[in-house]
Amino acid sequence: MRDHGGNIDWAKAHYGGGDWIDLSTGINRVPYPVPALSPEAWTMLPTAEAKARLMRTAEVAFGTQAPGVALAGAQAAIQLIPRLMPKGQASVLAPTYNEHAASLRAAGWTVTEVSTLENLAGADLAIVVNPNNPDGRSHAPATLRALAQQVGQLVVDESFADPTPALSVIADPGPILALRSFGKFWGLAGVRLGFAFGAEGLIARLSDMAGPWPVSGAAIEIGCAALSDSDWRRDTIARLEAEVTRIDALAGAAGWSLVGGCALFRTYATPDAAAAQDHLARQKIWSRIFPYSDRWIRLGLPGASVEWERLHAALT
């Protein structure tokens, strides 16, 4: 079932319009300020030099010299990966972001969802989201590099790893194919930008499949500005680390217990997740619940102070 957060249109149709706060995704609600863009960003096809500049900037930002490619979000990589190699047996560490298994099944792979890292061993293709969405489970890079020797191809989705760079394998991915989102941490999901890093041959095939213009000129200019702004990144990480404590306290006071999460979202156990979502929705706050749990509810972090005040009122 390919259900997702961000389905605010459904919430509006069901509960009515108004001033909604969408906390159903892990997208940073205090986004990077978009700079003024050149006319060429809109009127010209992206040049090879512009694409190379974006990759140089990304390499510095992520601390890597590994081969990489820019794509239209990590989602673009997820949809291309099933075609990178012959179809076989794929194992996905679950529960997790459901597009991994869905994209593989749609391409004809046999997919098994497993609950432990050890059960991934022997798969032709193994998928790990690190930190995991929605429970925040994380694995050390050394553990993932060891796992890579036990599977045909390991894919590590690091879409939520920007606030915790020590978890990343991108500095030295070796045989691992590592994915990184831009839209979540920088709060600019509409830009549709992401990256994949890995072995040279794998990245070359992924680049060929993505085509000559996988990202827009606007995405290149915004990405270069945001990725090179180390001060904004440092300040944002500090803010998020402080605010997860704040939202955990609000949820705890409401009687919810922390399941897990990261600096961009938190997942809680409630007596009744559907009832909790309904309660918040009636106050125009949208959240994320899951078909495999009747207790889990996930919240992204509010942005402006008025959003925090509304969430506080709703949970009190």
Side-chain angles (χ1 to χ4, degrees):
M1 185 175 179
R2 298 175 84 146
D3 63 309
H4 305 94
N7 56 335
I8 193 70
D9 48 353
W10 186 93
K12 290 178 178 179
H14 191 75
Y15 292 97
D19 183 17
W20 280 85
I21 303 172
D22 187 4
L23 303 185
S24 68
T25 75
I27 298 167
N28 182 0
R29 291 186 62 81
V30 184
Y32 185 80
V34 175
L37 304 181
S38 71
E40 291 77 16
W42 304 108
T43 60
M44 294 179 60
L45 290 171
T47 64
E49 193 282 327
K51 292 186 289 183
R53 182 173 68 252
L54 173 62
M55 289 312 303
R56 290 194 300 269
T57 306
E59 289 164 8
V60 173
F62 298 139
T64 185
Q65 295 182 345
V69 61
L71 299 162
Q75 181 63 42
I78 292 168
Q79 293 180 217
L80 291 174
I81 285 168
R83 297 164 48 202
L84 273 177
M85 60 204 74
K87 289 177 286 189
Q89 174 64 51
S91 293
V92 179
L93 187 63
T96 194
Y97 180 54
N98 61 43
E99 280 295 324
H100 286 286
S103 295
L104 287 161
R105 288 190 176 109
W109 284 74
T110 300
V111 180
T112 302
E113 297 186 23
V114 303
S115 59
T116 67
L117 210 62
E118 294 75 17
N119 286 338
L120 294 170
D124 299 312
L125 174 64
I127 309 290
V128 177
V129 179
N130 192 48
N132 190 47
N133 169 20
D135 60 12
R137 283 183 297 172
S138 61
H139 309 279
T143 302
L144 295 172
R145 292 189 179 103
L147 174 63
Q149 307 304 316
Q150 303 174 56
V151 300
Q153 177 64 56
L154 176 61
V155 175
V156 179
D157 182 346
E158 298 184 350
S159 289
F160 291 100
D162 289 283
T164 50
L167 287 178
S168 177
V169 300
I170 283 179
D172 182 20
I176 297 171
L177 181 62
L179 312 183
R180 189 64 75 94
S181 169
F182 173 82
K184 294 179 176 64
F185 175 73
W186 278 272
L188 298 172
V191 171
R192 305 312 305 140
L193 178 61
F195 301 90
F197 293 90
E200 185 174 2
L202 203 61
I203 294 299
R205 294 201 301 277
L206 196 56
S207 181
D208 285 344
M209 291 166 61
W213 304 291
V215 296
S216 69
I220 289 172
E221 291 194 10
I222 294 169
C224 285
L227 289 165
S228 61
D229 193 337
S230 57
D231 290 342
W232 186 90
R233 178 192 293 210
R234 181 198 62 236
D235 294 346
T236 297
I237 291 173
R239 175 182 60 80
L240 292 171
E241 289 175 346
E243 290 182 348
V244 293
T245 302
R246 182 179 181 183
I247 197 170
D248 285 350
L250 289 178
W256 299 357
S257 59
L258 180 65
V259 173
C262 65
L264 288 164
F265 64 81
R266 312 300 276 173
T267 299
Y268 303 102
T270 72
D272 184 331
Q277 183 181 59
D278 179 76
H279 170 74
L280 291 173
R282 293 183 186 282
Q283 294 165 78
K284 307 301 183 187
I285 299 172
W286 194 229
S287 57
R288 174 81 160 97
I289 60 175
F290 304 93
Y292 48 78
S293 173
D294 59 5
R295 299 187 63 212
W296 286 12
I297 188 169
R298 191 189 69 195
L299 297 177
L301 275 64
S305 58
V306 66
E307 295 186 356
W308 281 99
E309 291 165 5
R310 284 177 57 184
L311 180 62
H312 181 272
L315 290 177
T316 301

